[in-house]
Amino acid sequence: MRRFLSLYLPNWSIDLATYQRKVAGNEPSSVTALVKSVAQQLIIERISPAGYRAGIREGMSLTLARAIMPMLSVVSYNETADRAALHQLAVKLLVFSPFAGVEPERLDRGASKIFDGILLDITGTERIHGSKQALARRVHAMLAQLGVASRIG
């Protein structure tokens, strides 16, 4: 019987943008919005948890979001780069499993594609990693080091 470890990355796009800002030498903001141009208007595609708590929602115009939070850090959302970076993360996770694959995209309420899951095939890895729980802790620690929020099951 095959065994899998499912990784759900609830803030993948925001975590990626934060990481990229750090690498570029910029100070990451606690409130980040990823925006996309739709009908000559910038629309929020992804929002950090702090922005969500402040009342900013996906699908909201950037103008309205800035009215709620003037110091909002804005980054252009690139769906293709987002998915490519998730594939790169899956490759890094091959240290834990002989197979790591990105889960198929799903659509959010605004019909935008969301990429936020990775599956690890952990069949036969118990001798190397011990229990599934021990492996999950190691994977979670690695993702936390990279600044990626995760839920693992």
Side-chain angles (χ1 to χ4, degrees):
M1 178 166 79
R2 305 212 61 84
R3 295 182 48 172
F4 294 91
L5 196 62
S6 176
L7 313 179
Y8 170 55
L9 313 173
N11 302 316
W12 167 247
S13 299
I14 295 293
D15 292 341
L16 176 61
T18 300
Y19 176 78
Q20 288 170 337
R21 285 183 63 92
K22 284 180 187 175
V23 168
N26 299 322
E27 186 64 31
S29 171
S30 64
V31 183
T32 302
L34 303 182
V35 298
K36 188 165 141 181
S37 181
V38 177
Q40 298 180 349
Q41 185 176 10
L42 292 176
I43 301 296
I44 305 293
E45 281 291 315
R46 305 285 182 269
I47 187 70
S48 63
Y52 189 85
R53 287 190 298 275
I56 300 172
R57 299 293 182 262
E58 293 172 356
M60 183 181 282
S61 73
L62 178 59
T63 306
L64 181 55
R66 285 213 190 259
I68 295 170
M69 187 162 286
M71 301 305 290
L72 183 65
S73 173
V74 178
V75 178
S76 180
Y77 178 62
N78 183 331
E79 196 175 276
T80 305
D82 197 51
R83 184 154 177 89
L86 190 60
H87 278 279
Q88 289 174 351
L89 179 61
V91 169
K92 287 182 182 182
L93 292 169
L94 288 173
V95 299
F96 299 108
S97 166
F99 173 79
V102 174
E103 291 186 12
E105 74 255 1
R106 60 186 176 84
L107 299 178
D108 70 359
R109 291 180 296 280
S112 177
K113 292 179 183 174
I114 297 177
F115 312 103
D116 60 6
I118 295 176
L119 280 177
L120 298 179
D121 184 345
I122 60 169
T123 306
T125 64
E126 294 84 11
R127 291 187 332 186
I128 300 168
H129 300 293
S131 68
K132 182 177 180 178
Q133 292 77 17
L135 174 58
R137 283 191 298 273
R138 287 188 192 110
V139 170
H140 183 74
M142 178 186 169
L143 292 172
Q145 268 188 329
L146 294 171
V148 177
S150 63
R151 292 186 204 143
I152 300 174

